[in-house]
Amino acid sequence: MSAAPVHTLRLVGAEPSVGFIGAGTMGGPMVQRLIAAGTPVRLHVRRPEAAEAFRSAGAEISTDLAGIANRDVIVLCPFSEEQLCEILEGPSGLIANAAPGTVLVQHATISVEGVERLTALAAEHGVVLLDAPISGRAEEVQAGALTVLVGGPERSVDKARPVIAAYASTILRTGDSGSATRTKLVNNILFAANAQLVADALLLGSEIGLDEGPLLEALSACSASSFALTALTQVGGVAAFAEAAGPYLRKDVDLVADSAARLGGDLALVGDVVANGPMKLTDRRRFS
């Protein structure tokens, strides 16, 4: 039998203590922004070299989950739903060991079903799980210009807001828990469709004798400009974009397809564009 978690006294009106798990490509700059804002951060890190780098920057390091379980607000930035479940579930997981009233801010884009299940599990332990998917890249995190969608109780969102504000300029509460994930999935399928349209337009340009670089520059200055077109331009064109963003888009497109099928949503035209565009972002049979 595992030892009972140790809970610390919470002072009303005190600044929330902060824990962090997932200091990778996106999470690492978040931790740096929190430290720069003067927020004491207790960080769970497994790799010794990463632990030393963040310790030198001013973070307190914990090598096990129990070491951060007594934080008021714990930010989670894993890559996948599988990683998130590994962190949260089980007798040694964060949910079972966190104090009642703890707010977990999870930034991964996962399935709606996963959000609902983990939110319910957290509630059984008196813990609040905010689904808070992010929109933006590491550069936006570094500039404190990230967009974060947050679903969950308003009081808990307000508790976490000062923490999130260290690395986000836009924090939008979308409603109850699960609403932010639903919103992010719609955003991601629309972005994927926009990217496919840009790639197809560039293919058309090539077929009629235009070079990709000058065409991207011209379209960026004209009425056809979009966030997706800007993203393709910044990374150097379709091939570079597909290599850099493809794995993330494919993961998100699959999540949208699964969630839409479970919830009865019709992907219709946006699904057709994603499935039939020049970049291979999904198995077309999933959208047929």
Side-chain angles (χ1 to χ4, degrees):
M1 181 181 297
S2 59
V6 177
H7 298 155
T8 58
L9 178 65
R10 308 285 172 88
L11 298 177
V12 176
E15 288 295 316
S17 56
V18 178
F20 201 103
I21 302 174
T25 302
M26 298 296 285
M30 291 179 185
V31 174
Q32 293 168 351
R33 292 282 307 185
L34 285 163
I35 293 171
T39 302
V41 179
R42 182 176 293 175
L43 175 65
H44 171 58
V45 181
R46 290 179 178 175
R47 294 184 296 114
E49 61 274 19
E52 185 53 40
F54 283 108
R55 183 182 288 110
S56 298
E60 183 182 349
I61 302 300
S62 174
T63 57
D64 56 53
L65 292 177
I68 67 166
N70 64 348
R71 304 290 90 180
D72 298 303
V73 176
I74 304 174
V75 180
L76 313 169
C77 197
F79 174 74
S80 66
E81 185 168 336
E82 181 181 4
Q83 289 179 356
L84 181 65
C85 292
E86 182 181 343
I87 292 166
L88 294 181
E89 295 184 295
S92 60
L94 205 53
I95 288 177
N97 290 277
T102 299
V103 175
L104 305 176
V105 181
Q106 90 77 20
H107 285 318
T109 299
I110 67 173
S111 67
V112 174
E113 182 179 17
V115 168
E116 292 173 347
R117 185 176 60 80
L118 291 171
T119 299
L121 178 63
E124 291 175 7
H125 291 265
V127 173
V128 177
L129 177 68
L130 300 180
D131 69 302
I134 58 180
S135 182
R137 299 169 300 166
E139 291 81 0
E140 278 79 34
V141 181
Q142 292 165 352
L146 198 65
T147 294
V148 179
L149 309 174
V150 189
E154 187 169 2
R155 183 175 180 181
S156 299
V157 174
D158 289 342
K159 183 177 180 179
R161 190 180 296 273
V163 177
I164 301 171
Y167 48 84
S169 58
T170 303
I171 304 169
L172 298 174
R173 180 175 179 265
T174 55
D176 294 335
S177 182
S179 63
T181 292
R182 285 177 168 86
T183 301
K184 181 67 190 304
L185 292 179
V186 172
N187 173 83
N188 286 2
I189 195 72
L190 181 57
F191 175 73
N194 287 339
Q196 288 283 44
L197 289 173
V198 172
D200 196 54
L202 294 174
L203 180 61
L204 170 63
S206 175
E207 290 171 347
I208 63 175
L210 296 173
D211 291 334
E212 184 178 276
L215 178 57
L216 276 170
E217 183 180 3
L219 293 176
S220 297
C222 294
S223 58
S225 184
S226 66
F227 186 88
L229 191 145
T230 300
L232 266 81
T233 302
Q234 289 177 339
V235 299
V238 175
F241 178 84
E243 181 178 354
Y248 300 95
L249 283 177
R250 283 189 284 273
K251 175 178 75 75
D252 291 347
V253 166
D254 286 344
L255 278 176
V256 176
D258 292 340
S259 295
R262 191 175 73 88
L263 298 171
D266 185 359
L267 293 175
L269 178 59
V270 71
D272 288 342
V273 173
V274 171
N276 295 297
M279 294 182 288
K280 183 172 176 53
L281 299 182
T282 186
D283 183 342
R284 294 178 181 179
R285 291 172 297 181
R286 302 193 69 186
F287 289 79
S288 61

